[in-house]
Amino acid sequence: MRPRETLKYEKDVIDAFRLRKVLTMPEMKSMLHCSIATVSRRLKEWGALSSYNENARYYTLASIAKFNKKGLWKHEGVLFSKHGTLKNTVVHLVQISHRGLSNQELQSILGTSTTSYMAQQKHLEGVKPEKHNRQVVYFSCDDQVYKRQKDSRFPREPTAVKLPPDAISIIILVALLKSPGALPRQLSQILRGDGHQIDADIIDNLFEHHGLKKKPNISE
């Protein structure tokens, strides 16, 4: 059991946290009348968090911080994350992002530049960096999440409809004039009889392109 005097010092620090929200290591060392190592142990016991900016100089208690939906809290320019370190926070943000995150996007969310920090990180577990258009974008290493993020950031171009050459189009349209109302499959069979190997899918694409596709009869 700790001496009564020590417990009083600890209560003073907790009260100071409640009043001032954030404290520095020297301030707590002075209030607790102990070594930095002892202060560190107390902070761990209290579940304290260090700031991810200002060189981790400031501390707060998780019970005091008012975190936003992304788990971040700002107090008078000092930034904290419920995920602890900047490293853990970046990994979490990348994992939950819809389209991965660039350094600029990370900075916008975190409120501090991450460019130099990320450049020093050779490997962040769970994060896959890729260079796109002169900027690095960070994606999740999870295969399914990665695919979803990539598809969201870089939507695929729609596949172009395959249309027949003009000469074949004329042959198809002439056949349609001779057999009005014929379906693509029927026209394909007719044209095969005339020596033209034209698939029904090609005819269907041509009809779709020119608005000739027969609409289904809802009364049937």
Side-chain angles (χ1 to χ4, degrees):
M1 186 174 178
R2 292 171 189 159
R4 181 177 300 176
E5 189 176 55
T6 299
L7 293 175
K8 179 184 180 302
Y9 293 153
E10 292 179 2
K11 182 179 182 302
D12 290 342
V13 173
I14 298 297
D15 289 342
F17 267 125
R18 289 171 179 160
L19 179 65
R20 296 166 53 187
K21 310 300 183 187
V22 301
L23 296 171
T24 64
M25 181 65 76
E27 289 171 338
M28 289 182 285
K29 180 177 179 294
S30 175
M31 296 172 70
L32 288 170
H33 303 277
C34 63
S35 66
I36 289 179
T38 300
V39 176
S40 296
R41 287 196 295 271
R42 296 295 176 268
L43 289 171
K44 186 175 182 180
E45 291 174 5
W46 298 336
L49 299 168
S50 61
S51 59
Y52 64 78
N53 69 336
E54 300 291 342
N55 295 318
R57 179 169 174 254
Y58 293 92
Y59 295 83
T60 192
L61 302 181
S63 59
I64 290 175
K66 305 296 183 184
F67 297 113
N68 62 18
K69 292 181 179 179
K70 287 185 169 60
L72 308 176
W73 179 59
K74 180 179 181 180
H75 177 72
E76 296 181 354
V78 184
L79 303 167
F80 295 90
S81 167
K82 68 185 298 183
H83 307 288
T85 64
L86 181 59
K87 174 183 176 181
N88 291 344
T89 303
V90 167
V91 171
H92 172 75
L93 291 174
V94 170
Q95 295 289 351
I96 66 171
S97 68
H98 294 296
R99 54 200 299 271
L101 292 169
S102 65
N103 278 314
Q104 185 175 0
E105 290 164 340
L106 279 170
Q107 178 175 338
S108 177
I109 295 171
L110 292 167
T112 187
S113 176
T114 59
T115 303
S116 59
Y117 172 79
M118 296 301 286
Q120 296 171 15
Q121 304 302 308
K122 300 301 181 183
H123 175 70
L124 282 180
E125 187 174 355
V127 173
K128 178 188 295 187
E130 292 184 2
K131 195 166 186 178
H132 295 278
N133 297 327
R134 297 184 179 181
Q135 71 171 349
V136 179
V137 180
Y138 302 94
F139 298 99
S140 170
C141 280
D142 181 274
D143 290 340
Q144 291 185 344
V145 178
Y146 170 76
K147 184 180 184 304
R148 185 172 68 247
Q149 290 175 336
K150 282 291 291 286
D151 289 345
S152 179
R153 182 170 284 269
F154 306 111
R156 297 179 182 178
E157 293 292 334
T159 304
V161 176
K162 186 177 181 181
L163 295 174
D166 291 344
I168 300 299
S169 296
I170 292 173
I171 292 173
I172 295 171
L173 294 174
V174 169
L176 180 62
L177 289 173
K178 293 180 179 179
S179 303
L183 297 174
R185 177 175 51 80
Q186 296 168 330
L187 277 181
S188 178
Q189 293 174 346
I190 293 171
L191 290 168
R192 286 177 189 275
D194 293 337
H196 301 292
Q197 301 295 321
I198 304 174
D199 291 339
D201 288 342
I202 296 295
I203 298 173
D204 188 69
N205 289 343
L206 182 67
F207 283 11
E208 183 75 34
H209 182 71
H210 290 289
L212 300 173
K213 199 165 184 178
K214 183 180 179 182
K215 296 181 180 179
N217 189 342
I218 59 175
S219 64
E220 292 179 353

